Amino acid sequence: MKAPAWQPGAALALLLGLLGGLAGLQFLPRLLLPAEQAGLLAAALGLGVWVRWSRPGRTPLLLVLGVLLGLLWAQQRACWRLADGLAPAHIGQPVWVEAEVDGLPQALAGYGGVGGWRLPLRLLERPDGVPEQVSVSWFPGAGREQAPRAGERWRLQLRLKPVHALQNPGLPDTELWLLERGVRAQGSVRAGERLAAASAWNLAAARERIRAAIQARVSEPRARAVLAGLAIGDQGGIAAGDWALLRDTGVVHLFAVSGLHITWFAWLAAAGVHGLWRRSAWLCTRWPAPAAARWLGLAAALGYALLAGWGVPAQRTVGLLAVLVLLQSSARIWPWALALSLAGAVVGLADPWALVTPGFWLSFAAVALLMQAAPAEDEAAAGWRRLPQLAWQGLRVQLLASAGLAPLTLIFFGQVSLVGLLTNLVAVPLVTSVLVPLALGGLLLAPLWQLGTWGVQALFAGLELAQRLPGAVWWAAQAPWFIEALALLGVALALLRLPRAVRALGLALLLPLLLWTPARPAPGRFALTVIDVGQGSAAWVQTAGHALLFDAGPRWGGDSDAGARVVLPLLRAAGVNHLDALVISHDDADHSGGGASVLASLPVAARWGSLPPQHALQPVQPCRAGLAWEWEGVRFEWLHPGGPGEAAARDNARSCVLRVQDAAGQALLLTADIEAAQERELLQRAAPLRATVLLLPHHGSKSSSSAEFLAAVQPQLAFAQAGFMNRHGHPAAPVRERLAVAGVPLLTSAECGAWQWLSSQPPGSQACWRLQRRRYWLTAAPAGALDDEPD
């Protein structure tokens, strides 16, 4: 029997199934077992034979076949990647390696403000059980007088630990980000010696030289960081506040050399080449203008991606564009959906993890929107008459891109810049036509960087004005996946060249996403979220109508803190747009470090705390024992400090202690950093300590959680907010033993991630975010492991 002719619909079904299978594995809590792999392989082979000789109607079978093939390939790639992991015997133990600094070192602030570097290393010689790609911190000290530079080869003594990152609802998964880049261990440099300088052709070393030149010539910090970001893709110097400004004004894509930026750059380069090429009859007779525009646009994208460091987002974007250029250059007419699906499948086969990252979908959508907006080749007028048409075309592309990418931005980042269209109309031509040429031109003529500095200052002054406009940013709670899927379908229907009724249906499908509001606790009940901030403290308590944040997490050095990076995104993803109370339990940086960021970004009705008069977060109301209030039938009561003497104590001893009790008697005890002496004071005053859930004092330090205190609290569950392999050894072994003797289960943020508890339900480990969102790459915390570097 002759096999039926291959149809575009069948090919599209196979490619979509392949994409679905590649992405589907990334949502599994574990990898497939050998028997499961064998079953899928047998099913794929059988289905392939059936499809080969089947009659018309095979399209659904091809979709299933694609899913099976995608699952099997993603499984194999994951096995290869995870096999290059850190063996347990090397965890926390010194190992000697020979390594090359395989990227730009990034400035890093350590304890006490000591400056260091984050080094991406490719290990050339290493013991068995040590992965090839690692990320380590370097701080000055004995045996560490000279910091390694990009491209250099070193002999280093490293102390490594498995990859482990904070896990919170509504936030990106950093462990996935590191897995995609092949980084399979993290750690610190203990000692080392340089073996060889970087070669003259080393790309990372060349980029570091460019960065050093910009830093030497440009004195203004913001301009220095922006010019380095635009020239070589180094965004490490851009301040956290500036990133927030760029996000709020909808122009962040112009300052991160991401897939979206590279795609836009390739499109502009192709448009410029096409316009100039058509003016030369000699060029057109040797190479048609459309072909020259496609290939030279791709070459421009490749060159820019290489200069920007050739990272994973750049690689997959250039790959996506290369496939599209090849298809467009073939002798056949490819439907745009089939061309995009084939390009996505090629990128997905090379990098299956890309299919569940925002960067891939933003790049993919940008390419689709540019294809949708591109005019026919015969639409262009000649000479100066083409300028109005080009202006309208650019405005049309900007309108379509802003409208099409807004739902994706809302889904991935929980916000849409309502002033983004206005700011992009100015920022896109200014950045792409002025700042980028000046940033690159400064490599040949350094005074151009001064012109670039003035341009950056003018742009940011305008962005700051736009940010202050009423309603500049619209934040939305994170909706369930099926509502997000409906919204994506709606965007596709609304933007495609379809009948008006179908487009109207697409717009209607966006409404559930825009109107979604998360459920709140019933009156008389409360919900607790213990936020994973590493070695620090932050807990969010919500009632039917109010929200309280107890501590705001640590400051990590420089302008980076948990308030901006973790607490605020989590609250916004949960639909919280204001706080009724912010509590800063005491002035230790691991509890108060994120407070300023929270206060700067969210309205706060009341501030409580135990802070010295000169503290930057003053004024606060003192949390005096005996003060109490109710919200929707939930009682909040301060238990500590108890008097003027305790309030005048220093640091941990004056920590605020808050008890929260619902209408049914279920209670929560938030203890901050009190120690054994304060526990005895609470017992002597006969404070109402009994609680269902206890957040362990001082992160589980051995100086707290005495047996008498635990007996008075009688918790059903204890939780320690402690960093993965933290340098303090929290929670301490004696505390673990006391809890075990008392029969109290213990959870930690290192093994649990964020933890959520609704007071109407029994507390348990099932509420750990690492279990709720279990993925095969997530690292478990080895009990009792210690480290002496910050997470």
Side-chain angles (χ1 to χ4, degrees):
M1 179 186 296
K2 184 178 179 180
W6 193 261
Q7 299 296 325
L12 182 61
L14 180 65
L15 292 172
L16 291 177
L18 183 66
L19 287 168
L22 292 169
L25 189 87
Q26 316 313 324
F27 293 93
L28 297 183
R30 60 168 176 80
L31 290 177
L32 301 173
L33 300 175
E36 294 168 337
Q37 295 181 63
L40 289 180
L41 180 59
L45 292 174
L47 194 57
V49 172
W50 179 268
V51 168
R52 176 67 177 82
W53 300 105
S54 65
R55 296 183 180 276
R58 60 182 179 167
T59 300
L61 298 179
L62 283 168
L63 183 68
V64 176
L65 178 60
V67 171
L68 296 177
L69 293 176
L71 283 170
L72 289 168
W73 178 248
Q75 164 82 15
Q76 190 58 53
R77 287 298 311 277
C79 288
W80 289 336
R81 184 61 55 86
L82 293 180
D84 187 30
L86 183 65
H90 295 305
I91 296 177
Q93 301 300 315
V95 294
W96 283 96
V97 301
E98 288 190 15
E100 179 182 311
V101 183
D102 193 32
L104 277 179
Q106 296 295 333
L108 187 67
Y111 292 111
V114 176
W117 297 94
R118 175 68 64 186
L119 305 175
L121 299 181
R122 180 169 61 92
L123 305 190
L124 306 175
E125 295 183 14
R126 64 191 195 274
D128 291 339
V130 175
E132 180 181 8
Q133 297 281 346
V134 301
S135 174
V136 299
S137 60
W138 178 94
F139 289 97
R144 301 187 300 278
E145 290 80 12
Q146 178 184 0
R149 300 182 63 182
E152 293 180 342
R153 182 167 177 167
W154 281 67
R155 184 170 183 266
L156 298 169
Q157 186 188 58
L158 306 179
R159 194 175 182 191
L160 298 173
K161 60 183 177 181
V163 167
H164 190 281
L166 307 180
Q167 292 290 329
N168 290 283
L171 271 70
D173 188 344
T174 304
E175 290 189 37
L176 172 63
W177 186 86
L178 291 169
L179 177 75
E180 186 185 13
R181 284 150 182 78
V183 177
R184 301 297 301 130
Q186 299 168 298
S188 58
V189 175
R190 316 306 300 166
E193 59 177 334
R194 193 176 76 159
L195 301 179
S199 73
W201 303 102
N202 187 276
L203 179 61
R207 295 175 67 229
E208 188 174 31
R209 288 194 294 270
I210 294 172
R211 182 174 68 179
I214 293 174
Q215 291 175 342
R217 295 278 187 163
V218 180
S219 59
E220 206 276 318
R222 174 183 277 169
R224 184 169 59 222
V226 169
L227 292 175
L230 294 177
I232 60 172
D234 175 34
Q235 291 93 37
I238 298 179
D242 286 343
W243 279 122
L245 172 65
L246 298 175
R247 286 193 301 269
D248 291 350
T249 52
V251 299
V252 69
H253 60 284
L254 297 175
F255 295 86
V257 185
S258 62
L260 182 60
H261 201 173
I262 293 172
T263 302
W264 182 256
F265 185 79
W267 185 86
L268 289 175
V273 169
H274 188 272
L276 294 174
W277 207 272
R278 288 169 60 95
R279 300 176 65 87
S280 172
W282 185 86
L283 290 174
C284 289
T285 57
R286 283 155 179 79
W287 198 8
R294 286 193 294 266
W295 285 103
L296 293 179
L298 176 62
L302 176 61
Y304 191 45
L306 288 172
L307 187 61
W310 195 237
V312 170
Q315 293 173 26
R316 64 184 179 225
T317 302
V318 172
L320 171 65
L321 295 174
V323 173
L324 291 176
V325 168
L326 285 170
L327 294 179
Q328 291 173 346
S329 301
S330 67
R332 301 181 61 182
I333 297 176
W334 288 77
W336 72 268
L338 184 58
L340 278 178
S341 298
L342 179 58
V346 170
V347 174
L349 289 171
D351 180 11
W353 304 280
L355 298 179
V356 291
T357 60
F360 172 84
W361 290 105
L362 288 170
S363 301
F364 201 84
V367 172
L369 290 167
L370 292 176
M371 291 175 66
Q372 176 79 1
E377 292 179 7
D378 58 355
E379 289 181 8
W384 291 102
R385 291 177 299 167
R386 192 165 180 256
L387 291 179
Q389 183 183 11
L390 285 174
W392 165 244
Q393 181 183 337
L395 178 60
R396 179 172 174 266
V397 168
Q398 184 59 57
L399 289 169
L400 189 63
S402 297
L405 296 179
L408 284 176
T409 303
L410 186 61
I411 289 171
F412 291 132
F413 307 114
Q415 71 176 89
V416 172
S417 174
L418 301 182
V419 298
L421 178 59
L422 174 64
T423 55
N424 273 281
L425 289 177
V426 177
V428 168
L430 178 58
V431 172
T432 58
S433 302
V434 178
L435 294 184
V436 170
L438 289 175
L440 298 176
L443 303 178
L444 302 176
L445 192 61
L448 292 178
W449 284 332
Q450 182 57 51
L451 296 178
T453 298
W454 296 336
V456 170
Q457 292 171 336
L459 176 61
F460 272 76
L463 294 178
E464 288 168 349
L465 288 176
Q467 187 188 40
R468 290 194 289 269
L469 291 175
V473 185
W474 186 68
W475 298 92
Q478 187 177 57
W481 68 268
F482 57 88
I483 291 181
E484 294 179 344
L486 279 178
L488 293 177
L489 175 61
V491 171
L493 294 177
L495 295 179
L496 293 178
R497 294 168 182 171
L498 297 172
R500 291 184 178 180
V502 178
R503 289 188 171 192
L505 174 62
L507 292 175
L509 293 178
L510 293 173
L511 291 177
L513 178 67
L514 301 177
L515 300 177
W516 167 258
T517 55
R520 300 181 69 99
R525 297 290 189 175
F526 67 86
L528 166 70
T529 300
V530 182
I531 304 172
D532 184 7
V533 292
Q535 187 67 22
S537 173
W540 166 42
V541 180
Q542 185 181 39
T543 67
H546 292 80
L548 176 146
L549 180 66
F550 189 94
D551 285 335
R555 176 172 291 277
W556 289 314
D559 63 348
S560 178
D561 62 74
R565 288 178 51 186
V566 179
V567 177
L568 282 169
L570 182 146
L571 293 176
R572 284 169 170 159
V576 176
N577 53 23
H578 75 280
L579 288 172
D580 298 284
L582 169 64
V583 179
I584 302 299
S585 63
H586 62 301
D587 57 343
D588 278 3
D590 59 334
H591 293 246
S592 64
S597 294
V598 173
L599 288 169
S601 302
L602 283 181
V604 177
R607 302 188 206 177
W608 297 84
S610 187
L611 301 174
Q614 71 277 11
H615 197 277
L617 297 181
Q618 287 282 12
V620 297
Q621 301 178 58
C623 39
R624 294 283 188 265
L627 293 177
W629 71 96
E630 282 196 10
W631 286 337
E632 294 84 42
V634 177
R635 178 179 172 82
F636 294 76
E637 181 179 1
W638 297 116
L639 304 185
H640 187 80
E646 293 176 7
R650 299 178 60 84
D651 297 331
N652 295 345
R654 65 169 175 233
S655 293
C656 297
V657 176
L658 178 64
R659 185 174 184 268
V660 184
Q661 180 175 319
D662 72 4
Q666 300 299 308
L668 162 70
L669 192 60
L670 300 164
T671 57
D673 276 357
I674 63 170
E675 299 183 346
Q678 291 74 55
E679 293 175 357
R680 288 192 296 271
E681 293 168 2
L682 288 168
L683 293 172
Q684 292 168 1
R685 292 203 309 267
L689 295 175
R690 189 162 184 174
T692 313
V693 170
L694 168 66
L695 260 63
L696 284 180
H698 203 182
H699 317 284
S701 166
K702 62 183 179 182
S703 64
S704 305
S705 302
S706 62
E708 297 78 10
F709 180 74
L710 294 176
V713 177
Q714 298 183 30
Q716 296 179 21
L717 183 142
F719 196 99
Q721 286 189 284
F724 178 66
M725 297 180 66
N726 66 86
R727 65 198 300 262
H728 309 288
H730 296 157
V735 173
R736 292 178 179 272
E737 292 172 3
R738 288 196 286 269
L739 290 168
V741 169
V744 179
L746 171 64
L747 297 176
T748 71
S749 49
E751 63 192 4
C752 188
W755 182 71
Q756 298 170 308
W757 174 49
L758 188 61
S759 67
S760 60
Q761 301 174 357
S765 60
Q766 71 278 359
C768 291
W769 185 243
R770 281 183 175 268
L771 293 180
Q772 290 182 354
R773 192 193 166 278
R774 183 65 191 166
R775 299 292 185 265
Y776 66 82
W777 59 79
L778 291 181
T779 305
L786 302 180
D787 192 18
D788 63 352
E789 296 291 346
D791 289 336

